[in-house]
Amino acid sequence: MKRILVTGGLGFIGSHTVVELQNEGFEVVIIDDLSNTSIGVLDNITSITGIKPDFHQIDLRIKSDVKNFFENNKIDGIIHFAAFKAVGESMHKPLDYYENNLGSLVYLLQEMRDRKLDNFIFSSSCTVYGQADELPITENAPVKAAESTYGNTKQIGEEILSDASRAHGLNIIALRYFNPIGAHPSIKIGELPLGVPQNLIPFITQTAAGMRDELSVFGDDYDTVDGTAVRDYIHVVDLAKAHIAALQRLIKKNNKKAFEYFNVGTGKGSSVLEVIKAFEKASGKPLNYKIVPRRAGDITAAYADTTIANKELNWKTEQTLEEALASSWKWQLAQK
């Protein structure tokens, strides 16, 4: 049985990926510093799969702790989620983002190099494209100057991965996510941000649940169908399954290059107002929102061309925006 390390494995995407890994027969080891999640997620994963993952509370910014972990654990592959991820926050806390998102990546890769480990999946982002010249965005689109510190950490992270794969023979896949939403069908795991949500969907569900007075829509003067920003919203379970496909590609040595990258989205863009309307339809709840000024670091529109990922990973999304929003609402209701 292959033993896979999942960093940030109690987070939103990480926890869903742990479930899918266990469903596929992998043994999972989780590292999480619990800075943006709860230890209770571990029990919820166990409740879904019947298997309790091996858990280690480690801050990956502490190099000695990272080294100690690898000295005492056999690992056959790594899926690296652990990172700060809020675009707006990154503009106010750039040094924290560079330290956390890049330092931890380097320490993990150094351990892989020193121990001759392989199979590394990196949680990247469509933010590496900046505001793309053409939509939908293909993997051939140029990587532009980042619009946010968060986006820059993902660009630099991919550069680090490219150099490491070339110099040390590491096989690596970066998955460039679009916008993950939704919750597991069991409604035992989902997106549970600590404090004020930084992402649209939990802010929508918390507003509908009465936890927030109103939803702020950042800008209605973009060059889009209704003036609000457009994104590609992918169900988190579909996204988790993409990680399994990428990992299997590396384990089976089906990768065509040492460092590969794929767009992971639905291929369809939805504006903020379209998402609000879809949520109201899925939940039956009217939403209180207001238009406020644009937010620093945000781009106009981004949605994926998934042709390459569909073909090379033998993967595609299965769930609709409405299904994803309905599961997000069920998850929110279950938190009361």
Side-chain angles (χ1 to χ4, degrees):
M1 184 184 293
K2 297 289 187 184
R3 198 161 191 254
I4 306 302
L5 169 63
V6 181
T7 71
L10 296 187
F12 176 41
I13 306 169
S15 61
H16 287 81
T17 302
V18 168
V19 167
E20 296 305 320
L21 283 167
Q22 290 183 323
N23 287 343
E24 291 297 318
F26 290 98
E27 182 181 353
V28 179
V29 186
I30 295 172
I31 285 178
D32 203 301
D33 67 358
L34 303 181
S35 64
N36 195 36
T37 189
S38 162
I39 189 62
V41 176
L42 186 64
D43 290 336
N44 295 339
I45 291 170
T46 307
S47 176
I48 294 169
T49 65
I51 304 166
K52 187 170 186 175
D54 184 12
F55 173 71
H56 300 259
Q57 185 174 347
I58 295 172
D59 186 337
L60 294 173
R61 292 173 293 187
I62 303 174
K63 186 173 184 177
S64 58
D65 288 355
V66 177
K67 183 175 289 292
N68 182 64
F69 170 83
F70 280 93
E71 286 174 350
N72 293 284
N73 289 275
K74 178 185 177 294
I75 298 297
D76 298 303
I78 299 173
I79 303 180
H80 181 44
F81 293 106
F84 296 153
K85 62 182 180 62
V87 168
E89 181 185 63
S90 76
M91 303 298 283
H92 300 291
K93 299 180 177 179
L95 298 181
D96 292 347
Y97 271 68
Y98 286 123
E99 177 194 33
N100 188 61
N101 293 10
L102 300 179
S104 60
L105 175 61
V106 169
Y107 296 157
L108 287 170
L109 293 172
Q110 286 173 335
E111 293 302 317
M112 291 188 71
R113 174 200 63 193
D114 295 347
R115 300 172 196 283
K116 295 182 167 46
L117 303 178
D118 210 355
N119 307 321
F120 191 92
I121 309 296
F122 179 62
S123 171
S124 192
S125 169
C126 64
T127 57
V128 302
Y129 298 113
Q131 180 56 67
D133 297 325
E134 296 180 4
L135 295 170
I137 301 170
T138 73
E139 284 84 349
N140 295 321
V143 171
K144 292 187 167 186
E147 299 280 341
S148 68
T149 301
Y150 166 73
N152 204 30
T153 66
K154 293 303 182 184
Q155 287 186 6
I156 297 169
E158 287 197 12
E159 291 171 2
I160 291 169
L161 293 169
S162 179
D163 289 346
S165 68
R166 174 187 50 76
H168 307 301
L170 304 176
N171 287 301
I172 298 169
I173 291 177
L175 296 180
R176 294 174 174 173
Y177 309 164
F178 281 68
N179 291 67
I181 63 171
H184 192 267
S186 68
I187 312 300
K188 292 182 177 178
I189 53 174
E191 188 169 9
L192 187 62
L194 301 183
V196 179
Q198 300 286 339
N199 295 332
L200 175 63
I201 304 307
F203 216 116
I204 284 178
T205 61
Q206 289 187 12
T207 302
M211 296 170 60
R212 309 282 168 193
D213 291 336
E214 63 185 3
L215 169 72
S216 294
V217 176
F218 295 101
D220 64 348
D221 57 350
Y222 288 104
D223 184 16
T224 62
V225 62
D226 56 26
T228 61
V230 169
R231 299 290 185 269
D232 184 336
Y233 296 92
I234 176 174
H235 196 294
V236 66
V237 173
D238 284 334
L239 176 58
K241 289 178 178 178
H243 291 79
I244 313 306
L247 181 64
Q248 296 281 24
R249 180 178 177 86
L250 293 184
I251 289 172
K252 295 175 181 177
K253 306 299 183 189
N254 288 337
N255 51 312
K256 295 177 179 176
K257 296 184 291 185
F259 175 57
E260 297 181 317
Y261 46 87
F262 300 102
N263 288 342
V264 185
T266 67
K268 181 179 184 299
S270 301
S271 74
V272 175
L273 290 181
E274 286 174 336
V275 171
I276 289 172
K277 290 172 186 173
F279 173 81
E280 290 176 333
K281 182 178 179 182
S283 67
K285 295 278 291 187
L287 204 63
N288 186 30
Y289 68 89
K290 71 172 180 180
I291 307 298
V292 299
R294 293 187 186 190
R295 183 173 56 181
D298 279 342
I299 59 173
T300 300
Y303 54 96
D305 183 320
T306 62
T307 304
I308 294 177
N310 297 157
K311 177 174 180 288
E312 294 295 329
L313 299 178
N314 191 29
W315 163 90
K316 64 179 180 179
T317 57
E318 298 173 358
Q319 304 202 50
T320 66
L321 175 66
E322 290 73 19
E323 288 170 334
L325 291 170
S327 69
S328 292
W329 180 233
K330 287 178 183 177
W331 164 253
Q332 181 67 60
L333 292 176
Q335 304 316 301
K336 290 186 176 180

